[in-house]
Each structure stands twice: as C-alpha cells, then as structure tokens.
Amino acid sequence: MTIKHVIAASSAMALLAFPAVAEPTAEVLHWWTSGGEAKSVAVLQEQFKERGGVWTDMPVAGGGGDAAMTALRARVLSGNPPTAVQLKGPAIQEWYEEGVLADISDVAEEQHWGDVLPAQIAEHMKCDGHWCAAPVNVHRVNWIWGNKKILDDNGIAMPTTWEEFNAAAEKLKAAGITPLAHGGQAWQDATVFETVVLGMGGPEFYQKALVDLDMDALGSDTMIKVFDEMRVLRGFVDENYPGRDWNLATAMVMNGEAAFQIMGDWAKGEFLAAGKKPGVDFTCAATPGHGFLYNVDSFAMFDVGDDADKVAGQKLLAELIVAPSFQETFNLNKGSIPVRTDVSLDKFDDCAKLSSKDMNADAKDGSLLPSYAHGMALRGEPAGAITDVVTAHFNSDMTSEEAVKQLQDAVANAM
Ligand code: GAL
C-alpha cells in the first residue's frame, strides 16, 4: 500500500466516523398552549424527534396569537429570530417584505404541494411566486357550539337565524342559564363580530366590508344592524367575561355553565381533549347565515443563513407538516380539517365532515372567505383598527351609529 493509499483509506474512515450529516434542529414559536392545542402540537414535536430532530419549544400563551406575534417582533428586532414560526395570512407577506423569510420551494416541489393543496390556500403560502410557508390545517371560524343537555332540557334546537339565536338565548336567560360563554378579549370580540357580519350581511357584504374595506359597506345600514346585534349578544354573556381565555369559555359550555359559544373549531379540540363527544355531549352548527370563514394555520421559516442544522430542521419540519400522516393525526386533535385534498375524512367526526362539505360547496360560489379576526383577510394595521372599534363598542354603551362612524374613520386612517 502506498502512502497515498494509506491517506485515502484513513480519511475515508474519518468520514465514516464523523459523517458530515446535519442534525435537524428547530426552535418553534407557536401559541398552542390550551389542552387541545398542546395535544396537537405534540404530534409535530414527536414526529420531528422520531426523524432525529432536536426541538426547542417556544410557546407563547394567548389565544389568537397576539402575544406570540409581539414576542416574534422582539426576537427579529434583536437579530435572533426563531427558526420556525406559526404565522399566517397576510402577515407572511409582511415578514417576507422585511427580507427575513426562508424559501422552502425545494421541499414544496419535492413533495408536490401544488398538486394536493387547494389553489386559494396555496396562494397564502407563496411569496413572489415561491413557497414561503407550510400549511397545517383549515379551521372554520363561524361555528356555534352548544351544550347538548342544556339545549335538550330546554327544548332548544341549534339556531339557524340570528332571530332564532336571540329567542333561544332569551329563553335560556329566563331559565337562569348563561346563554353565551364569551371571553372579553379583543380577538374574541372580533371573532363573534365577523360571524355576525357574514350572517347578517351575507358573503358579498362580508367581502366588501372586511376584505375590500369598501367605505360604503363599512358605513352601511347593514353594518349598523350588525352592531345592534353585537349589543344584543352583549346582554347574553355573564358578568365575569372580561379577560377570560377562550378555552375557559369553552369549558363553561362543557361543564353546563353556559349554553353556547361562538368560536372557531379549535374549540372542538378542547371538547375532544376533555373526552367529550360531538352529538352526545356537545353540538356543532355553522353560525346563522351562509358562508365559510376560513383560518389556515401555517408555519414560516425564518432565514438562518448557512447554518446546516437549522436549515435541515426547517426542511424536515416543512416536509412533516404537509405530509398525510401528520395532517390526519394533528387535525383529529386540533378540531380543524386537513388542508390536503387527498386525506380521507373517514376517522373524522360529523362536525369535520360538515366543515369539509361546506368548504367545498362554498368555494364554488364565492362564499369561502378569509377570516379577518384570525389574520387571513387583512394586513395588521387595518385589521387592528377594526378590532379596536369592535371591542370598544362591545365594552361600552357606544351606539351602533357611532361605532359605524368610528369604523370608517379607523379604516381610512389605517389604509
Ligand atoms: C387561532 C389559531 C388557532 C387557535 C386559536 C386560539 O388564531 O389559528 O389554531 O389556536 O387561534 O388560540
């Protein structure tokens, strides 16, 4: 053996002993801290670890993610962003414009995301034509959850119009039952508000008012009626509502302390995590009116330069998130439905099946609409301006006329 051969053999052995394979690592910022949410994100964590990944968890409690987004801003400003972040809708574009997002097109193309995701949803995941976020699920926002026993005992069916809802709530109130479990946090007020806008105004009105920010729609008589209904709803919540977390409001329905909650289907994740069964312990129905407000959770990867471990972690996460097995297990826990069109719903309950059926039907006639309250329809500034007015109105004696005027002014200033 020549000296050249010896060197070649020993360097080959060195390579074998220390293979230059990156160890996938990820620091993941998310706001999934309630019972059902934590159970759901644990699925991703487990699958990541099974594939050799090292997961650093960065949970920031606070439904709707406002606190998580504040934490994200602080981390990015300090030049040290987390590697993967729960981020959605136009906020993805806003961060992309800051030049801090990674391109994950190689994973998306390898895994054929373009073939398995609905076009409208895929659009949210793209920045200037390339893939910059991985979608997790489709949550429907416009749901009413009911305590089955309370409704049966009081001879109440799930309401199909807002008049029916009000009548049922009056009846419950007279019987000494809190009709509506609600948490007085701005994003929860906004969640209820957008379902009323959709229900009372219809899909076209919703699109004009909360997506296109059309001044006539924002200042219309229909919008006055929406605020009137918000005032009526305010009369159906208990006096301890201020500041209450959404999952505690869900627990009130679960425990028979209240009859209804208006909330997206992450609430179903709470019922299920507590062992409650749809159709037996609780009931689901779309909020009165026609249409589907969607809220798609997704993860964006922040630019980590050429750190091989972090890049490997981002690619692995993106691959897992959209893969069929994660989509099924995660969404069974989360209350949402898979975002992929090729995952069977056989194991899913009737609420999920209704969601999927309505989504597909509503996609055909323009009534599949992005949720403004959950950051799918608008950029941060106009969305925040609307929410400020909605919550100011809900928590005061402001008239509907005044609210509508403030709404127009706030939106005009935010554009
Ligand atoms: C939403 C999010 C859901 C759910 C909810 C409450 O904005 O999309 O996944 O977690 O907030 O925290």
Side-chain angles (χ1 to χ4, degrees), residues 31-32 37 63-64 88 139 246 266 295 297 334 374:
W31 65 88
W32 287 332
E37 291 175 331
K88 54 188 173 166
H139 271 304
W246 68 272
W266 44 94
N295 170 25
D297 286 308
K334 189 70 169 69
H374 291 274

Side-chain angles (χ1 to χ4, degrees), residues 198-209:
L198 177 71
M200 299 194 71
E204 224 174 288
F205 178 77
Y206 180 96
Q207 168 78 33
K208 275 197 196 138

Side-chain angles (χ1 to χ4, degrees), residues 27-78:
E27 187 192 4
V28 186
L29 189 158
H30 62 88
W31 65 88
W32 287 332
T33 56
S34 76
E37 291 175 331
K39 213 174 152 194
S40 310
V41 74
V43 175
L44 186 57
Q45 199 166 340
E46 275 154 29
Q47 293 197 356
F48 190 67
K49 286 183 182 162
E50 268 163 29
R51 293 275 299 270
V54 179
W55 173 293
T56 305
D57 206 29
M58 192 186 167
V60 180
D66 292 338
M69 291 301 102
T70 306
L72 172 63
R73 236 165 275 128
R75 285 287 300 268
V76 178
L77 282 178
S78 71

Side-chain angles (χ1 to χ4, degrees), residues 144 159 161-170 173 178-183 188-197 200 225-239 241 260-262 287-288 390 393-395:
I144 297 194
T161 64
W162 286 101
E163 291 74 28
E164 271 177 35
F165 180 85
N166 297 346
E170 287 297 353
K173 210 171 156 180
T178 299
L180 186 60
H182 182 67
Q188 294 187 60
D189 300 338
T191 300
V192 173
F193 172 76
E194 71 176 6
T195 71
V196 179
V197 171
M200 299 194 71
K225 289 200 189 100
V226 168
F227 279 106
D228 288 347
E229 178 62 19
M230 290 301 285
R231 179 63 68 239
V232 172
L233 294 178
R234 169 76 172 74
F236 297 146
V237 309
D238 70 317
E239 60 179 23
Y241 83 97
F260 296 113
Q261 182 185 21
I262 296 171
T287 47
V390 169
H393 168 268
F394 195 73
N395 292 291

Side-chain angles (χ1 to χ4, degrees), residues 14-334:
L15 273 180
L16 281 179
F18 304 102
V21 174
E23 182 183 60
T25 63
E27 187 192 4
V28 186
L29 189 158
H30 62 88
W31 65 88
W32 287 332
T33 56
S34 76
E37 291 175 331
K39 213 174 152 194
S40 310
V41 74
V43 175
L44 186 57
Q45 199 166 340
E46 275 154 29
Q47 293 197 356
F48 190 67
K49 286 183 182 162
E50 268 163 29
R51 293 275 299 270
V54 179
W55 173 293
T56 305
D57 206 29
M58 192 186 167
V60 180
D66 292 338
M69 291 301 102
T70 306
L72 172 63
R73 236 165 275 128
R75 285 287 300 268
V76 178
L77 282 178
S78 71
N80 175 31
T83 55
V85 176
Q86 187 187 348
L87 200 65
K88 54 188 173 166
I92 300 171
Q93 312 300 323
E94 289 181 290
W95 282 111
Y96 170 72
E97 286 158 18
E98 297 294 324
V100 289
L101 292 193
D103 183 346
I104 53 171
S105 298
D106 49 354
V107 180
E109 270 144 35
E110 216 175 85
Q111 304 293 325
H112 308 288
W113 291 3
D115 299 337
V116 293
L117 300 178
Q120 193 170 342
I121 289 172
E123 262 326 291
H124 287 290
M125 308 298 141
K126 289 188 182 167
C127 301
D128 271 345
H130 68 254
W131 296 87
C132 53
V136 176
N137 58 3
V138 182
H139 271 304
R140 183 183 203 172
V141 178
N142 54 320
W143 283 112
I144 297 194
W145 308 93
N147 176 299
K148 181 94 170 50
K149 185 169 184 318
I150 294 182
L151 300 185
D152 288 351
D153 287 354
N154 290 276
I156 289 171
M158 287 302 262
T160 57
T161 64
W162 286 101
E163 291 74 28
E164 271 177 35
F165 180 85
N166 297 346
E170 287 297 353
K171 190 171 175 191
L172 290 160
K173 210 171 156 180
I177 299 160
T178 299
L180 186 60
H182 182 67
Q185 296 174 345
W187 73 271
Q188 294 187 60
D189 300 338
T191 300
V192 173
F193 172 76
E194 71 176 6
T195 71
V196 179
V197 171
L198 177 71
M200 299 194 71
E204 224 174 288
F205 178 77
Y206 180 96
Q207 168 78 33
K208 275 197 196 138
L210 297 182
V211 184
D212 303 339
L213 300 180
D214 176 291
M215 281 298 153
D216 293 339
L218 290 170
S220 62
D221 288 349
T222 306
M223 196 56 94
I224 290 180
K225 289 200 189 100
V226 168
F227 279 106
D228 288 347
E229 178 62 19
M230 290 301 285
R231 179 63 68 239
V232 172
L233 294 178
R234 169 76 172 74
F236 297 146
V237 309
D238 70 317
E239 60 179 23
N240 296 323
Y241 83 97
R244 176 187 287 136
D245 287 326
W246 68 272
N247 52 320
L248 299 182
T250 309
M252 289 171 70
V253 177
M254 236 183 255
N255 303 335
E257 291 161 42
F260 296 113
Q261 182 185 21
I262 296 171
M263 185 52 64
D265 43 23
W266 44 94
K268 195 184 76 185
E270 290 308 292
F271 284 111
L272 299 180
K276 304 290 180 196
K277 303 245 171 325
V280 179
D281 305 303
F282 69 95
T283 321
C284 62
T287 47
H290 172 63
F292 187 114
L293 299 181
Y294 69 86
N295 170 25
V296 174
D297 286 308
S298 49
F299 280 86
M301 309 301 161
F302 277 65
D303 189 7
V304 289
D306 50 13
D307 186 318
D309 291 348
K310 290 181 178 169
V311 170
Q314 293 179 327
K315 287 188 195 301
L316 179 56
L317 266 185
E319 183 196 319
L320 288 172
I321 284 170
V322 184
S325 92
F326 170 76
Q327 288 278 324
E328 182 184 78
T329 317
F330 175 91
N331 285 303
L332 280 168
N333 288 317
K334 189 70 169 69

